[in-house]
Amino acid sequence: MKIVSRIKLPIEKEMELFERKFSDSMSSKVSLLNRITHYVVNRKGKQMRPMFVFLIAKMTGNGEVNERTYRGASVIELIHTATLVHDDVVDDSDRRRGFFSLNALWKNKIAVLVGDYLLSKGLLLSIDNGDFDLLRIISVAVREMSEGELLQIEKARRLDITEEVYFEIIRQKTATLIAACCAMGAQSVMASDEEVEKMRKFGELIGTAFQIKDDLFDYGNEHIGKPTGIDIKEQKMTLPLIYALNHASPEKNKWLINSVKNHNKDKKRVKEVIAYVKENGGLEYAVGKMKEYQQEALQLLATYPDSPYKESLEVMVNYVISRKK
C-alpha cells in the first residue's frame, strides 16, 4: 500500500466527504470562475493539510469529527490554494504539480483575482458559521506566511542570513500553515487551550522538518521534480549552505557568497558550491537538525493513547523526512 493511502486509511470516509464539501465551497455564479476552480479542484496534490486536520481532530476528539472540522479543513485548503495561486504569479511560474499554473493558462490578472476570491471564500466560510476561533488560527498563519516571504526577500538581497533568521523564515513560510492545520483540528473538536497549543507546536515541528528536507533535495542526486541547485540559482539560503558559510575560512566565505550572489546562473560554479557544501558537513548537519525536529514531534504524539489516528500521524512524521520528492 502506498504510504499516503496508509496514512489516509483511518480518515478515508471523512476525506471523501471533505472533497465534496470543498468542491461545493468554491461554487460561484460566474461561469469563468467555476471553470477555473474546477481546474484547481481536479489537480489537487496529496492533500496533506486536510489530512492533518482530520487526524488531529480524531486523535484529540475521541475518534469523532464534526461540521466545524470539515469547515476548518476547507478553510485551510482554500487559503492554501489561494497562496499557491499568488505564489505562481509572484514567481512567474508556469507549472504547478506537473500541470499548467493558473497564470500560465489565464494570465496574471485573472490568477490574482481567483486567489483573492479563494481567500475571501475561506474567510466567509468561517464568519458565516461563527467559527471565529478557527478564523483567528488561519488569519495568524496568513500574516506569518506573508512576513516570512518578505523576510526571505529582504535577506536574499544581502545574503546575511544567520541560522536563527533561517529558522524564523521557514517557521513563518512553511511551518506556520501546518501548525495551523493541527491547531485547527484540535480546536474544531473543542480541545482545551493547552491541547490546541500542543498540536500547534507539533505541526510547527513537522513543518520545519519538512522544509529542511526540501533544502536537502537541492543537493541530491534523485529525481525529485525540482532541479539540483535551484535554490542556489534563486539565491535562497538553505541550512546546508548556511552551515558551510559559518564554518568556512574568510576567503572561502567570500567565494561562497560571491558565487551565490553573482554566479548563480553559472552551472559549473553552482556545482562547485554544491560540492563544497557536501564536502564540508553541510548535509550531515542539516539531516541531524531535521531528525531533532522529527523526534521532538514524535515525543509530543507519545503522550496520547494508541489509536489508528496517532499511528497515521507517526507514519506522516516519518514520511516527511524519508520522502523522495
PDB file of all heavy atoms in Angstrom, residues 148-162 165-166 169 173 231-238 241-242 257 260-262 264:
ATOM      1  N   GLY A 148       7.106  35.951   6.432  1.00  0.00           N
ATOM      2  CA  GLY A 148       8.220  35.043   6.135  1.00  0.00           C
ATOM      3  C   GLY A 148       8.747  35.220   4.729  1.00  0.00           C
ATOM      4  O   GLY A 148       9.961  35.255   4.504  1.00  0.00           O
ATOM      5  N   GLU A 149       7.829  35.339   3.772  1.00  0.00           N
ATOM      6  CA  GLU A 149       8.229  35.550   2.367  1.00  0.00           C
ATOM      7  C   GLU A 149       9.003  36.862   2.218  1.00  0.00           C
ATOM      8  O   GLU A 149      10.029  36.925   1.544  1.00  0.00           O
ATOM      9  CB  GLU A 149       6.987  35.591   1.454  1.00  0.00           C
ATOM     10  CG  GLU A 149       6.368  34.230   1.184  1.00  0.00           C
ATOM     11  CD  GLU A 149       7.156  33.370   0.204  1.00  0.00           C
ATOM     12  OE1 GLU A 149       8.185  33.819  -0.317  1.00  0.00           O
ATOM     13  OE2 GLU A 149       6.723  32.224  -0.025  1.00  0.00           O
ATOM     14  N   LEU A 150       8.480  37.918   2.848  1.00  0.00           N
ATOM     15  CA  LEU A 150       9.120  39.232   2.727  1.00  0.00           C
ATOM     16  C   LEU A 150      10.469  39.270   3.434  1.00  0.00           C
ATOM     17  O   LEU A 150      11.416  39.887   2.946  1.00  0.00           O
ATOM     18  CB  LEU A 150       8.189  40.331   3.268  1.00  0.00           C
ATOM     19  CG  LEU A 150       6.979  40.612   2.353  1.00  0.00           C
ATOM     20  CD1 LEU A 150       5.895  41.376   3.095  1.00  0.00           C
ATOM     21  CD2 LEU A 150       7.404  41.375   1.105  1.00  0.00           C
ATOM     22  N   LEU A 151      10.560  38.570   4.573  1.00  0.00           N
ATOM     23  CA  LEU A 151      11.832  38.494   5.293  1.00  0.00           C
ATOM     24  C   LEU A 151      12.869  37.771   4.438  1.00  0.00           C
ATOM     25  O   LEU A 151      14.026  38.201   4.346  1.00  0.00           O
ATOM     26  CB  LEU A 151      11.634  37.763   6.633  1.00  0.00           C
ATOM     27  CG  LEU A 151      12.877  37.567   7.516  1.00  0.00           C
ATOM     28  CD1 LEU A 151      13.529  38.898   7.879  1.00  0.00           C
ATOM     29  CD2 LEU A 151      12.515  36.791   8.793  1.00  0.00           C
ATOM     30  N   GLN A 152      12.445  36.712   3.751  1.00  0.00           N
ATOM     31  CA  GLN A 152      13.361  35.977   2.871  1.00  0.00           C
ATOM     32  C   GLN A 152      13.847  36.851   1.713  1.00  0.00           C
ATOM     33  O   GLN A 152      15.032  36.858   1.383  1.00  0.00           O
ATOM     34  CB  GLN A 152      12.685  34.718   2.327  1.00  0.00           C
ATOM     35  CG  GLN A 152      13.651  33.867   1.516  1.00  0.00           C
ATOM     36  CD  GLN A 152      13.032  32.552   1.083  1.00  0.00           C
ATOM     37  OE1 GLN A 152      11.946  32.512   0.521  1.00  0.00           O
ATOM     38  NE2 GLN A 152      13.722  31.470   1.350  1.00  0.00           N
ATOM     39  N   ILE A 153      12.919  37.607   1.124  1.00  0.00           N
ATOM     40  CA  ILE A 153      13.285  38.504   0.008  1.00  0.00           C
ATOM     41  C   ILE A 153      14.285  39.563   0.493  1.00  0.00           C
ATOM     42  O   ILE A 153      15.295  39.834  -0.164  1.00  0.00           O
ATOM     43  CB  ILE A 153      12.022  39.176  -0.590  1.00  0.00           C
ATOM     44  CG1 ILE A 153      11.181  38.135  -1.342  1.00  0.00           C
ATOM     45  CG2 ILE A 153      12.399  40.328  -1.524  1.00  0.00           C
ATOM     46  CD1 ILE A 153       9.762  38.587  -1.678  1.00  0.00           C
ATOM     47  N   GLU A 154      14.007  40.131   1.663  1.00  0.00           N
ATOM     48  CA  GLU A 154      14.890  41.163   2.232  1.00  0.00           C
ATOM     49  C   GLU A 154      16.296  40.600   2.469  1.00  0.00           C
ATOM     50  O   GLU A 154      17.304  41.231   2.133  1.00  0.00           O
ATOM     51  CB  GLU A 154      14.286  41.647   3.557  1.00  0.00           C
ATOM     52  CG  GLU A 154      15.115  42.692   4.285  1.00  0.00           C
ATOM     53  CD  GLU A 154      14.603  42.922   5.708  1.00  0.00           C
ATOM     54  OE1 GLU A 154      13.376  43.037   5.886  1.00  0.00           O
ATOM     55  OE2 GLU A 154      15.429  42.961   6.631  1.00  0.00           O
ATOM     56  N   LYS A 155      16.362  39.381   3.035  1.00  0.00           N
ATOM     57  CA  LYS A 155      17.656  38.788   3.365  1.00  0.00           C
ATOM     58  C   LYS A 155      18.392  38.290   2.118  1.00  0.00           C
ATOM     59  O   LYS A 155      19.621  38.293   2.079  1.00  0.00           O
ATOM     60  CB  LYS A 155      17.472  37.627   4.355  1.00  0.00           C
ATOM     61  CG  LYS A 155      16.991  38.079   5.728  1.00  0.00           C
ATOM     62  CD  LYS A 155      18.024  38.938   6.415  1.00  0.00           C
ATOM     63  CE  LYS A 155      17.586  39.439   7.765  1.00  0.00           C
ATOM     64  NZ  LYS A 155      18.565  40.344   8.387  1.00  0.00           N
ATOM     65  N   ALA A 156      17.640  37.866   1.105  1.00  0.00           N
ATOM     66  CA  ALA A 156      18.271  37.345  -0.127  1.00  0.00           C
ATOM     67  C   ALA A 156      19.079  38.429  -0.829  1.00  0.00           C
ATOM     68  O   ALA A 156      20.035  38.144  -1.534  1.00  0.00           O
ATOM     69  CB  ALA A 156      17.205  36.790  -1.066  1.00  0.00           C
ATOM     70  N   ARG A 157      18.693  39.692  -0.619  1.00  0.00           N
ATOM     71  CA  ARG A 157      19.415  40.786  -1.273  1.00  0.00           C
ATOM     72  C   ARG A 157      20.828  40.935  -0.722  1.00  0.00           C
ATOM     73  O   ARG A 157      21.743  41.311  -1.424  1.00  0.00           O
ATOM     74  CB  ARG A 157      18.648  42.102  -1.078  1.00  0.00           C
ATOM     75  CG  ARG A 157      17.408  42.168  -1.964  1.00  0.00           C
ATOM     76  CD  ARG A 157      16.601  43.413  -1.719  1.00  0.00           C
ATOM     77  NE  ARG A 157      15.406  43.414  -2.552  1.00  0.00           N
ATOM     78  CZ  ARG A 157      14.353  44.173  -2.337  1.00  0.00           C
ATOM     79  NH1 ARG A 157      14.335  44.987  -1.302  1.00  0.00           N
ATOM     80  NH2 ARG A 157      13.299  44.133  -3.128  1.00  0.00           N
ATOM     81  N   ARG A 158      20.962  40.649   0.590  1.00  0.00           N
ATOM     82  CA  ARG A 158      22.284  40.840   1.211  1.00  0.00           C
ATOM     83  C   ARG A 158      22.963  39.522   1.565  1.00  0.00           C
ATOM     84  O   ARG A 158      24.139  39.499   1.897  1.00  0.00           O
ATOM     85  CB  ARG A 158      22.133  41.689   2.484  1.00  0.00           C
ATOM     86  CG  ARG A 158      21.673  43.103   2.230  1.00  0.00           C
ATOM     87  CD  ARG A 158      22.027  44.019   3.391  1.00  0.00           C
ATOM     88  NE  ARG A 158      21.411  43.584   4.642  1.00  0.00           N
ATOM     89  CZ  ARG A 158      20.202  43.958   5.048  1.00  0.00           C
ATOM     90  NH1 ARG A 158      19.481  44.766   4.296  1.00  0.00           N
ATOM     91  NH2 ARG A 158      19.709  43.536   6.186  1.00  0.00           N
ATOM     92  N   LEU A 159      22.185  38.436   1.511  1.00  0.00           N
ATOM     93  CA  LEU A 159      22.688  37.101   1.874  1.00  0.00           C
ATOM     94  C   LEU A 159      23.309  37.077   3.277  1.00  0.00           C
ATOM     95  O   LEU A 159      24.328  36.426   3.508  1.00  0.00           O
ATOM     96  CB  LEU A 159      23.713  36.599   0.843  1.00  0.00           C
ATOM     97  CG  LEU A 159      23.222  36.417  -0.584  1.00  0.00           C
ATOM     98  CD1 LEU A 159      24.316  35.811  -1.433  1.00  0.00           C
ATOM     99  CD2 LEU A 159      21.987  35.547  -0.658  1.00  0.00           C
ATOM    100  N   ASP A 160      22.681  37.800   4.207  1.00  0.00           N
ATOM    101  CA  ASP A 160      23.226  37.852   5.572  1.00  0.00           C
ATOM    102  C   ASP A 160      22.350  37.036   6.529  1.00  0.00           C
ATOM    103  O   ASP A 160      22.006  37.481   7.614  1.00  0.00           O
ATOM    104  CB  ASP A 160      23.364  39.301   6.050  1.00  0.00           C
ATOM    105  CG  ASP A 160      22.013  40.027   6.077  1.00  0.00           C
ATOM    106  OD1 ASP A 160      21.049  39.510   5.478  1.00  0.00           O
ATOM    107  OD2 ASP A 160      21.932  41.092   6.712  1.00  0.00           O
ATOM    108  N   ILE A 161      21.970  35.844   6.091  1.00  0.00           N
ATOM    109  CA  ILE A 161      21.063  35.031   6.899  1.00  0.00           C
ATOM    110  C   ILE A 161      21.847  34.194   7.907  1.00  0.00           C
ATOM    111  O   ILE A 161      22.700  33.393   7.539  1.00  0.00           O
ATOM    112  CB  ILE A 161      20.198  34.105   6.001  1.00  0.00           C
ATOM    113  CG1 ILE A 161      19.264  34.957   5.140  1.00  0.00           C
ATOM    114  CG2 ILE A 161      19.399  33.124   6.835  1.00  0.00           C
ATOM    115  CD1 ILE A 161      18.276  34.175   4.323  1.00  0.00           C
ATOM    116  N   THR A 162      21.533  34.406   9.182  1.00  0.00           N
ATOM    117  CA  THR A 162      22.108  33.553  10.228  1.00  0.00           C
ATOM    118  C   THR A 162      21.201  32.337  10.358  1.00  0.00           C
ATOM    119  O   THR A 162      20.086  32.314   9.830  1.00  0.00           O
ATOM    120  CB  THR A 162      22.118  34.297  11.583  1.00  0.00           C
ATOM    121  OG1 THR A 162      20.751  34.615  11.923  1.00  0.00           O
ATOM    122  CG2 THR A 162      22.943  35.562  11.528  1.00  0.00           C
ATOM    123  N   VAL A 165      17.873  33.377  11.885  1.00  0.00           N
ATOM    124  CA  VAL A 165      16.955  34.020  10.929  1.00  0.00           C
ATOM    125  C   VAL A 165      16.386  32.984   9.967  1.00  0.00           C
ATOM    126  O   VAL A 165      15.197  33.012   9.633  1.00  0.00           O
ATOM    127  CB  VAL A 165      17.676  35.159  10.149  1.00  0.00           C
ATOM    128  CG1 VAL A 165      16.820  35.664   8.996  1.00  0.00           C
ATOM    129  CG2 VAL A 165      18.015  36.308  11.089  1.00  0.00           C
ATOM    130  N   TYR A 166      17.216  32.038   9.531  1.00  0.00           N
ATOM    131  CA  TYR A 166      16.759  30.960   8.645  1.00  0.00           C
ATOM    132  C   TYR A 166      15.579  30.217   9.273  1.00  0.00           C
ATOM    133  O   TYR A 166      14.546  29.998   8.622  1.00  0.00           O
ATOM    134  CB  TYR A 166      17.908  29.982   8.362  1.00  0.00           C
ATOM    135  CG  TYR A 166      17.447  28.656   7.799  1.00  0.00           C
ATOM    136  CD1 TYR A 166      17.183  28.506   6.441  1.00  0.00           C
ATOM    137  CD2 TYR A 166      17.249  27.555   8.639  1.00  0.00           C
ATOM    138  CE1 TYR A 166      16.737  27.294   5.927  1.00  0.00           C
ATOM    139  CE2 TYR A 166      16.806  26.339   8.133  1.00  0.00           C
ATOM    140  CZ  TYR A 166      16.550  26.218   6.777  1.00  0.00           C
ATOM    141  OH  TYR A 166      16.101  25.014   6.277  1.00  0.00           O
ATOM    142  N   ILE A 169      12.467  32.274   9.223  1.00  0.00           N
ATOM    143  CA  ILE A 169      11.871  32.338   7.874  1.00  0.00           C
ATOM    144  C   ILE A 169      11.073  31.068   7.582  1.00  0.00           C
ATOM    145  O   ILE A 169       9.924  31.133   7.153  1.00  0.00           O
ATOM    146  CB  ILE A 169      12.956  32.551   6.787  1.00  0.00           C
ATOM    147  CG1 ILE A 169      13.494  33.993   6.852  1.00  0.00           C
ATOM    148  CG2 ILE A 169      12.398  32.268   5.388  1.00  0.00           C
ATOM    149  CD1 ILE A 169      14.718  34.251   5.974  1.00  0.00           C
ATOM    150  N   LYS A 173       7.210  30.795   6.825  1.00  0.00           N
ATOM    151  CA  LYS A 173       6.853  30.476   5.436  1.00  0.00           C
ATOM    152  C   LYS A 173       6.178  29.123   5.273  1.00  0.00           C
ATOM    153  O   LYS A 173       5.220  28.979   4.528  1.00  0.00           O
ATOM    154  CB  LYS A 173       8.129  30.453   4.581  1.00  0.00           C
ATOM    155  CG  LYS A 173       8.364  31.708   3.789  1.00  0.00           C
ATOM    156  CD  LYS A 173       9.478  31.500   2.789  1.00  0.00           C
ATOM    157  CE  LYS A 173       9.074  30.540   1.709  1.00  0.00           C
ATOM    158  NZ  LYS A 173      10.111  30.270   0.719  1.00  0.00           N
ATOM    159  N   ASP A 231      17.777  26.223  -5.636  1.00  0.00           N
ATOM    160  CA  ASP A 231      17.757  27.193  -4.530  1.00  0.00           C
ATOM    161  C   ASP A 231      18.947  28.151  -4.640  1.00  0.00           C
ATOM    162  O   ASP A 231      18.816  29.346  -4.366  1.00  0.00           O
ATOM    163  CB  ASP A 231      17.778  26.485  -3.170  1.00  0.00           C
ATOM    164  CG  ASP A 231      16.454  25.799  -2.859  1.00  0.00           C
ATOM    165  OD1 ASP A 231      15.426  26.220  -3.426  1.00  0.00           O
ATOM    166  OD2 ASP A 231      16.437  24.842  -2.070  1.00  0.00           O
ATOM    167  N   ILE A 232      20.097  27.612  -5.036  1.00  0.00           N
ATOM    168  CA  ILE A 232      21.283  28.460  -5.202  1.00  0.00           C
ATOM    169  C   ILE A 232      21.048  29.444  -6.354  1.00  0.00           C
ATOM    170  O   ILE A 232      21.334  30.635  -6.232  1.00  0.00           O
ATOM    171  CB  ILE A 232      22.544  27.596  -5.445  1.00  0.00           C
ATOM    172  CG1 ILE A 232      22.865  26.772  -4.188  1.00  0.00           C
ATOM    173  CG2 ILE A 232      23.744  28.476  -5.827  1.00  0.00           C
ATOM    174  CD1 ILE A 232      23.898  25.689  -4.376  1.00  0.00           C
ATOM    175  N   LYS A 233      20.470  28.931  -7.460  1.00  0.00           N
ATOM    176  CA  LYS A 233      20.184  29.805  -8.606  1.00  0.00           C
ATOM    177  C   LYS A 233      19.223  30.928  -8.222  1.00  0.00           C
ATOM    178  O   LYS A 233      19.278  32.020  -8.763  1.00  0.00           O
ATOM    179  CB  LYS A 233      19.606  28.986  -9.769  1.00  0.00           C
ATOM    180  CG  LYS A 233      20.652  28.118 -10.443  1.00  0.00           C
ATOM    181  CD  LYS A 233      20.060  27.187 -11.483  1.00  0.00           C
ATOM    182  CE  LYS A 233      21.112  26.207 -11.966  1.00  0.00           C
ATOM    183  NZ  LYS A 233      20.621  24.839 -12.073  1.00  0.00           N
ATOM    184  N   GLU A 234      18.304  30.626  -7.288  1.00  0.00           N
ATOM    185  CA  GLU A 234      17.324  31.639  -6.852  1.00  0.00           C
ATOM    186  C   GLU A 234      17.812  32.438  -5.632  1.00  0.00           C
ATOM    187  O   GLU A 234      17.054  33.162  -5.009  1.00  0.00           O
ATOM    188  CB  GLU A 234      15.989  30.948  -6.534  1.00  0.00           C
ATOM    189  CG  GLU A 234      15.308  30.398  -7.784  1.00  0.00           C
ATOM    190  CD  GLU A 234      14.041  29.614  -7.477  1.00  0.00           C
ATOM    191  OE1 GLU A 234      13.676  29.489  -6.288  1.00  0.00           O
ATOM    192  OE2 GLU A 234      13.412  29.133  -8.440  1.00  0.00           O
ATOM    193  N   GLN A 235      19.078  32.245  -5.282  1.00  0.00           N
ATOM    194  CA  GLN A 235      19.703  32.949  -4.153  1.00  0.00           C
ATOM    195  C   GLN A 235      18.984  32.692  -2.825  1.00  0.00           C
ATOM    196  O   GLN A 235      18.887  33.570  -1.972  1.00  0.00           O
ATOM    197  CB  GLN A 235      19.782  34.456  -4.418  1.00  0.00           C
ATOM    198  CG  GLN A 235      20.664  34.811  -5.597  1.00  0.00           C
ATOM    199  CD  GLN A 235      20.911  36.294  -5.725  1.00  0.00           C
ATOM    200  OE1 GLN A 235      20.784  37.050  -4.773  1.00  0.00           O
ATOM    201  NE2 GLN A 235      21.262  36.750  -6.906  1.00  0.00           N
ATOM    202  N   LYS A 236      18.462  31.457  -2.662  1.00  0.00           N
ATOM    203  CA  LYS A 236      17.819  31.106  -1.397  1.00  0.00           C
ATOM    204  C   LYS A 236      18.870  30.501  -0.479  1.00  0.00           C
ATOM    205  O   LYS A 236      19.616  29.604  -0.888  1.00  0.00           O
ATOM    206  CB  LYS A 236      16.691  30.088  -1.628  1.00  0.00           C
ATOM    207  CG  LYS A 236      15.428  30.718  -2.206  1.00  0.00           C
ATOM    208  CD  LYS A 236      14.349  29.674  -2.405  1.00  0.00           C
ATOM    209  CE  LYS A 236      13.159  30.281  -3.129  1.00  0.00           C
ATOM    210  NZ  LYS A 236      12.252  29.238  -3.656  1.00  0.00           N
ATOM    211  N   MET A 237      18.901  30.976   0.741  1.00  0.00           N
ATOM    212  CA  MET A 237      19.876  30.472   1.699  1.00  0.00           C
ATOM    213  C   MET A 237      19.287  29.269   2.429  1.00  0.00           C
ATOM    214  O   MET A 237      18.355  29.398   3.205  1.00  0.00           O
ATOM    215  CB  MET A 237      20.243  31.574   2.697  1.00  0.00           C
ATOM    216  CG  MET A 237      20.946  32.747   2.049  1.00  0.00           C
ATOM    217  SD  MET A 237      22.565  32.286   1.402  1.00  0.00           S
ATOM    218  CE  MET A 237      23.548  32.460   2.864  1.00  0.00           C
ATOM    219  N   THR A 238      19.831  28.084   2.146  1.00  0.00           N
ATOM    220  CA  THR A 238      19.339  26.863   2.775  1.00  0.00           C
ATOM    221  C   THR A 238      20.248  26.491   3.949  1.00  0.00           C
ATOM    222  O   THR A 238      21.373  26.976   4.055  1.00  0.00           O
ATOM    223  CB  THR A 238      19.319  25.714   1.750  1.00  0.00           C
ATOM    224  OG1 THR A 238      20.642  25.564   1.228  1.00  0.00           O
ATOM    225  CG2 THR A 238      18.340  26.015   0.611  1.00  0.00           C
ATOM    226  N   LEU A 241      23.865  25.263   3.236  1.00  0.00           N
ATOM    227  CA  LEU A 241      24.711  26.371   2.766  1.00  0.00           C
ATOM    228  C   LEU A 241      25.083  27.300   3.928  1.00  0.00           C
ATOM    229  O   LEU A 241      26.238  27.731   4.036  1.00  0.00           O
ATOM    230  CB  LEU A 241      23.987  27.147   1.664  1.00  0.00           C
ATOM    231  CG  LEU A 241      24.729  28.337   1.035  1.00  0.00           C
ATOM    232  CD1 LEU A 241      26.066  27.902   0.440  1.00  0.00           C
ATOM    233  CD2 LEU A 241      23.861  28.993  -0.041  1.00  0.00           C
ATOM    234  N   ILE A 242      24.117  27.590   4.794  1.00  0.00           N
ATOM    235  CA  ILE A 242      24.381  28.470   5.950  1.00  0.00           C
ATOM    236  C   ILE A 242      25.449  27.832   6.843  1.00  0.00           C
ATOM    237  O   ILE A 242      26.374  28.498   7.312  1.00  0.00           O
ATOM    238  CB  ILE A 242      23.079  28.745   6.743  1.00  0.00           C
ATOM    239  CG1 ILE A 242      22.153  29.643   5.910  1.00  0.00           C
ATOM    240  CG2 ILE A 242      23.371  29.399   8.090  1.00  0.00           C
ATOM    241  CD1 ILE A 242      20.728  29.728   6.431  1.00  0.00           C
ATOM    242  N   ILE A 257      29.691  33.394  -0.991  1.00  0.00           N
ATOM    243  CA  ILE A 257      28.714  34.484  -1.125  1.00  0.00           C
ATOM    244  C   ILE A 257      28.768  35.076  -2.541  1.00  0.00           C
ATOM    245  O   ILE A 257      27.729  35.312  -3.164  1.00  0.00           O
ATOM    246  CB  ILE A 257      28.927  35.560  -0.038  1.00  0.00           C
ATOM    247  CG1 ILE A 257      28.435  35.018   1.296  1.00  0.00           C
ATOM    248  CG2 ILE A 257      28.208  36.870  -0.386  1.00  0.00           C
ATOM    249  CD1 ILE A 257      28.564  35.926   2.483  1.00  0.00           C
ATOM    250  N   VAL A 260      26.999  32.658  -4.981  1.00  0.00           N
ATOM    251  CA  VAL A 260      25.532  32.667  -4.891  1.00  0.00           C
ATOM    252  C   VAL A 260      24.975  33.992  -5.416  1.00  0.00           C
ATOM    253  O   VAL A 260      23.942  34.027  -6.083  1.00  0.00           O
ATOM    254  CB  VAL A 260      25.073  32.409  -3.433  1.00  0.00           C
ATOM    255  CG1 VAL A 260      23.560  32.530  -3.311  1.00  0.00           C
ATOM    256  CG2 VAL A 260      25.525  31.028  -2.970  1.00  0.00           C
ATOM    257  N   LYS A 261      25.700  35.068  -5.130  1.00  0.00           N
ATOM    258  CA  LYS A 261      25.201  36.402  -5.493  1.00  0.00           C
ATOM    259  C   LYS A 261      25.401  36.725  -6.974  1.00  0.00           C
ATOM    260  O   LYS A 261      24.490  37.217  -7.638  1.00  0.00           O
ATOM    261  CB  LYS A 261      25.925  37.448  -4.637  1.00  0.00           C
ATOM    262  CG  LYS A 261      25.055  38.628  -4.263  1.00  0.00           C
ATOM    263  CD  LYS A 261      25.739  39.471  -3.214  1.00  0.00           C
ATOM    264  CE  LYS A 261      24.745  40.407  -2.576  1.00  0.00           C
ATOM    265  NZ  LYS A 261      25.292  41.103  -1.422  1.00  0.00           N
ATOM    266  N   ASN A 262      26.583  36.434  -7.483  1.00  0.00           N
ATOM    267  CA  ASN A 262      26.932  36.922  -8.823  1.00  0.00           C
ATOM    268  C   ASN A 262      27.131  35.836  -9.889  1.00  0.00           C
ATOM    269  O   ASN A 262      27.231  36.140 -11.069  1.00  0.00           O
ATOM    270  CB  ASN A 262      28.220  37.764  -8.745  1.00  0.00           C
ATOM    271  CG  ASN A 262      28.065  38.919  -7.771  1.00  0.00           C
ATOM    272  OD1 ASN A 262      27.058  39.613  -7.811  1.00  0.00           O
ATOM    273  ND2 ASN A 262      29.045  39.098  -6.897  1.00  0.00           N
ATOM    274  N   ASN A 264      25.261  32.707  -9.855  1.00  0.00           N
ATOM    275  CA  ASN A 264      24.274  31.646  -9.609  1.00  0.00           C
ATOM    276  C   ASN A 264      23.678  31.045 -10.882  1.00  0.00           C
ATOM    277  O   ASN A 264      22.942  30.071 -10.818  1.00  0.00           O
ATOM    278  CB  ASN A 264      23.159  32.149  -8.683  1.00  0.00           C
ATOM    279  CG  ASN A 264      22.547  33.452  -9.181  1.00  0.00           C
ATOM    280  OD1 ASN A 264      22.066  33.524 -10.310  1.00  0.00           O
ATOM    281  ND2 ASN A 264      22.586  34.485  -8.361  1.00  0.00           N
TER     282      ASN A 264
END
